[in-house]
Amino acid sequence: MSKYVVSIDLGTTNTVMAYAEAGSGEIRLFEIDQLTAPGEIGAAALLPSLRYHPADGELADGELQLPWPSDEPAVIGVLARKLGAQVPGRLVASAKSWLSHPQVDRMAPILPWGAEANVVKVSPVAASASYLAHLRSAWNARFAAHPLEKQQIVLTIPASFDEGARALTLEAARMAGLPSLRLLEEPQAAFYDWLYRQRDALGEQLADTRLVLVCDVGGGTTDFSLMKVDAGAAGQPAISRIGVGNHLILGGDNMDLALAHLVESRMGAAAGGAQPRLSASRLAQLAERCRAAKELLLAADAPDRTTVTLLGAGSKLIGGSRSAELTRDEVAALVVDGFFPLNEAQEPARRARGGIVEFGLPYASDAAITRHLADFLRQHGAAAREALGLPADSTTVPVPDTLLLNGGVFRADALARRLEAALAGWRQQPLRVLHNDNPDVAVARGGVAYALGQSGQAPVIGGGSARSYFLLLDDSGPADKPRRAICILPRGAAEGREQLLAGRSFALRLGRPVRFHLASATAEAPQAGDLVDLQPDEYIQLPPIATVLRDSSAADARKEIPVQLAATLSEVGTLEVHCVAKEDQQRWLLEFQLRGDTTPEAPDEAPMPAGLAAAIEKIDRIFGSRAQQVDIKEVKQLRAQLEHLLGSRESWTTPVLRRLFDTLMERAKGRRRSSEHERAWLNLSGYCLRPGFGYALDEWRIEQLWSMFETGVQNHKDAQVCAEWWTLWRRVSGGLSVEAQLRVLDDFAFNVQADAAERGRRPVTLVNGSEEDMLRLGASLERIPGNYKAEIGAWMLGQLHKATKAAGKAAADKTRNGAASLAKAEATQGRFLWGLSRVGARQPFHGSAHDVVDTATVEQWLDAVLALDWKKVEPAGFAASHLARMTGDRSRDINETLRAEVLRRLNAVGAPANWSAMVREVAQLDQADEKRMLGDALPPGLKLIA
């Protein structure tokens, strides 16, 4: 048994650890040893969640010595903050926010974001792991007989973290040597802290409370939770969580950034407008200075004004410094009114056309926290009205009667008072504010209080599942008819307790795609395993879960086995469903995210077209295993026959396309019957699986398709077969992994670079590719590293220069041959300009933002594009608009002088307004530009999220 209960708050800004001896009621903060200056150690309750990556020789080995052996090359904690304020581009901050950023590879070394190539980088997961590892080392140095990894540990996370962010948090803990722990939502932890401190008089303290809003605004995220308070036994209140908000990357970091923009503009004005925009790393440095100014000017005893100074870089450290003044009233107006407007009309959050991106992070597009709060209270209106005793048919937004504030942002008294005033205005009467004596450490203390509560030593927050969950036994049917279902988890089920449906058996297919349809209901709860008929107005159908389950003893076995279902509600709000084999108890986990917005009914899938069965028969006739006498003419006409049955292929919806692909994949061997068979199969398969992701089971489909890559094509001497091969991989490239795209890159490089002698030794399985094939293929490989893309772009730029030279020579030839040569050269220019714009795009379609080509290289490409005559070469403007596209991320955006020149040239040639718009501001592509960039239209109903 562990001697201690330990809680870790892995915060965006600070990391905190609290603990208590088992059996003891005293919760203490762990004072964390850390470097406070080179060679100096100090202990503090807060460990700044920062890493500084020093340059070689910047710090002597002895200056980084900690009280324990360490091979960590970075500086962590207080000293990291000090050094990062002096030297730009070497500080890793807000790693926690990156854990919930799905548009980048969170396991890849991408931080510090936008840093120079010579700066060592680390992944968001590894950065988080380094803070946890520091805690583990500090604890083990002090409690050597009771190592941290042997204690009972609670790790807190934002309530709104999705499954990916939670899994990555657990991975960070494993990397830090902490493989066993429990996760707890931060707002719950903050409330646990308050409950524990008031435990001796809890009934009296909550006598008049029915509904508590916990508002947790930290450095990187905003979290809302609702806690219902009922009368319990023996005069003690019964508390349950009834609502959790959506994920918002919105917090103190955004406020600091807004102030940094204001100070930057003042510094530029003071320099007569001659100063260029700050780089991403310098802006981050300025934001850190503005954080200190914000905390000073929003404190209860704040001065009237303060000066923010940004030191120069390198040899100009002092002489190149710049300063600007901030007043208390300005900060109040920008932060208090901007982030916490009173919002008397309870307006919803505003949805911008393009989200805010800074330092690579997709911040919430509306910075007004009170508008997001109004959305949250509407979303949970029914449960909140019930808790408050309000009429169920009321149309007003229910406002809690009690408020608990948490997070470092609320150390600023002005912000705490503003949020209280906003809620009181909505409620039209005052509300009670629970006292949080130290928002910086409340979550860490609350994690310990939670653990003590689980052993009966402290108050607990219960409620279990707010809904009953069902497995629908018929996955389709009229919307106005009852649905047959089996209850897998009843309403009120306790967290962490598995319920096995022992009396029910199901048949499960292994090695094949399977779908699970779930529904939820708030009506009176049946028992687990009960068969019920859900009335149309009683349930909400959840999105189906699709997956492929495999037998651990035979990965490719395709069989049907009897299983039972076991369901658990986890501590962090997820329904975990296991399929358990009746024979050998093998288990397969299906984990569903339940805290999203499930209020609107999930739309039913569109019905399949009437001609689909006949279309499948056509495909089977051409490629099926049965020996059929099929004329080659019929093979060539397959596409036309399918369009006759299903309509124009541009109108085929994604479900139809994937059904056709599955049909083709099952009959893949039939493609080898002739070159015509192979051409038709490759063309249709690529078209039906494009863009390789975005629909249920696409990852599995890509896995099946990728297994064919190494064998190449059967008819390798047929130029059209080879072209269709590369068209297929270009079309589905969005679904290929980094490793697969790098493997494709090998064949691209051979086709582009190999000389005649090397081509003579080409292996049969390496498919020949024309210049046109390779251009389009190379442009589609978005997941390869940026330096490889730069090489592809250099090849394209070289070909563009050749085509431009040929166009100039052909233009001087006034003969018919000259005109033909000019047309050919201009077409080549257009192709390579398109390729260059795709390879150098500032905003990838499916790749990660950290893999874009570096800005300096793209600026050189833009110079070459600007040298062309845009009136004669129309694709030049299109290419320039994508190379100069605004992202809002300074590490990716081109310099302002070049941007202004691109805008001037676009205006001069009368380019479409949307081209200029994407250069001038953060904007989404329209359908026509999206099709032009991708080279194919997306299937109807499938939208790429850029």
Side-chain angles (χ1 to χ4, degrees), residues 15-225:
T15 297
V16 187
M17 184 157 60
Y19 67 103
E21 281 197 53
S24 166
E26 182 186 1
I27 298 177
R28 290 177 281 181
L29 294 173
F30 183 80
E31 296 289 318
I32 306 164
D33 285 335
Q34 55 195 293
L35 287 163
T36 57
E40 296 181 15
I41 300 292
L46 305 183
L47 175 75
S49 302
L50 300 167
R51 289 171 55 96
Y52 178 80
H53 295 185
D56 291 340
E58 182 179 348
L59 296 168
D61 291 341
E63 292 179 327
L64 296 178
Q65 185 61 52
L66 291 162
W68 54 84
S70 173
D71 56 2
E72 173 60 69
V75 180
I76 292 174
V78 170
L79 180 57
R81 169 163 282 153
K82 292 178 180 177
L83 295 173
Q86 297 169 8
V87 183
R90 293 186 171 273
L91 186 70
V92 174
S94 303
K96 182 178 178 178
S97 295
W98 287 92
L99 292 180
S100 57
H101 185 359
Q103 302 304 318
V104 299
D105 181 353
R106 291 160 283 184
M107 296 292 286
I110 61 176
L111 302 178
W113 185 257
E116 299 294 333
N118 63 344
V119 177
V120 174
K121 295 183 177 66
V122 68
S123 74
V125 174
S128 301
S130 70
Y131 308 142
L132 295 172
H134 187 101
L135 293 187
R136 176 176 174 241
S137 297
W139 173 281
N140 290 351
R142 195 170 308 167
F143 298 112
H146 306 285
L148 184 60
E149 57 270 27
K150 300 294 185 182
Q151 308 312 305
Q152 180 184 345
I153 303 175
V154 174
L155 180 62
T156 63
I157 56 170
S160 52
F161 253 17
D162 63 15
E163 292 304 315
R166 290 180 191 145
L168 292 168
T169 302
L170 291 173
E171 176 61 25
R174 282 191 287 269
M175 290 170 62
L178 303 175
S180 180
L181 46 78
R182 299 182 75 168
L183 297 177
L184 176 68
E185 297 169 356
E186 290 165 5
Q188 271 207 87
F191 196 37
Y192 265 114
D193 177 60
W194 186 88
L195 293 173
Y196 190 74
R197 289 186 287 109
Q198 306 297 326
R199 63 190 182 280
D200 294 334
L202 202 53
E204 178 183 345
Q205 289 285 345
L206 295 177
D208 299 322
T209 293
R210 294 292 173 265
L211 186 63
V212 180
L213 167 67
V214 182
C215 181
D216 187 354
V217 184
T221 56
T222 290
D223 255 338
F224 304 123
S225 289

Side-chain angles (χ1 to χ4, degrees), residues 387-452:
L388 292 166
L390 299 177
D393 58 355
S394 172
T395 57
T396 61
V397 175
V399 182
D401 53 32
T402 305
L403 173 66
L404 176 64
L405 299 173
N406 191 66
V409 161
F410 292 116
R411 285 200 309 269
D413 186 58
L415 299 181
R417 285 188 283 107
R418 171 54 68 90
L419 184 57
E420 178 187 353
L423 285 165
W426 297 354
R427 194 168 179 257
Q428 297 184 337
Q429 58 180 304
L431 74 164
R432 184 179 175 209
V433 179
L434 305 180
H435 178 59
N436 185 346
D437 70 333
N438 193 340
D440 281 328
V441 302
V443 166
R445 293 188 313 204
V448 178
Y450 160 79
L452 294 175

Side-chain angles (χ1 to χ4, degrees), residues 215 217-219 222 251-256 259 291 294-300 328 330-342 367 369-370 373 403-423 433 439:
C215 181
V217 184
T222 290
D253 288 353
N254 303 71
M255 300 171 195
D256 304 338
L259 290 171
R291 177 192 63 81
K294 174 195 71 181
E295 293 175 358
L296 174 67
L297 293 173
L298 291 180
R328 181 175 57 198
E330 286 172 339
V331 173
L334 195 152
V335 175
V336 179
D337 295 333
F339 288 82
F340 292 92
L342 287 171
I369 289 171
T370 47
L373 177 55
L403 173 66
L404 176 64
L405 299 173
N406 191 66
V409 161
F410 292 116
R411 285 200 309 269
D413 186 58
L415 299 181
R417 285 188 283 107
R418 171 54 68 90
L419 184 57
E420 178 187 353
L423 285 165
V433 179

Side-chain angles (χ1 to χ4, degrees), residues 339-412:
F339 288 82
F340 292 92
L342 287 171
N343 191 20
E344 291 95 340
Q346 297 169 312
E347 294 177 356
R350 297 166 184 169
R351 312 296 177 193
R353 185 174 178 218
I356 300 170
V357 179
E358 271 298 355
F359 308 135
L361 286 169
Y363 291 129
S365 57
D366 190 342
I369 289 171
T370 47
R371 287 197 282 267
H372 291 288
L373 177 55
D375 282 341
F376 167 72
L377 293 176
R378 283 192 191 90
Q379 180 185 359
H380 297 281
R385 289 186 192 96
E386 180 187 356
L388 292 166
L390 299 177
D393 58 355
S394 172
T395 57
T396 61
V397 175
V399 182
D401 53 32
T402 305
L403 173 66
L404 176 64
L405 299 173
N406 191 66
V409 161
F410 292 116
R411 285 200 309 269

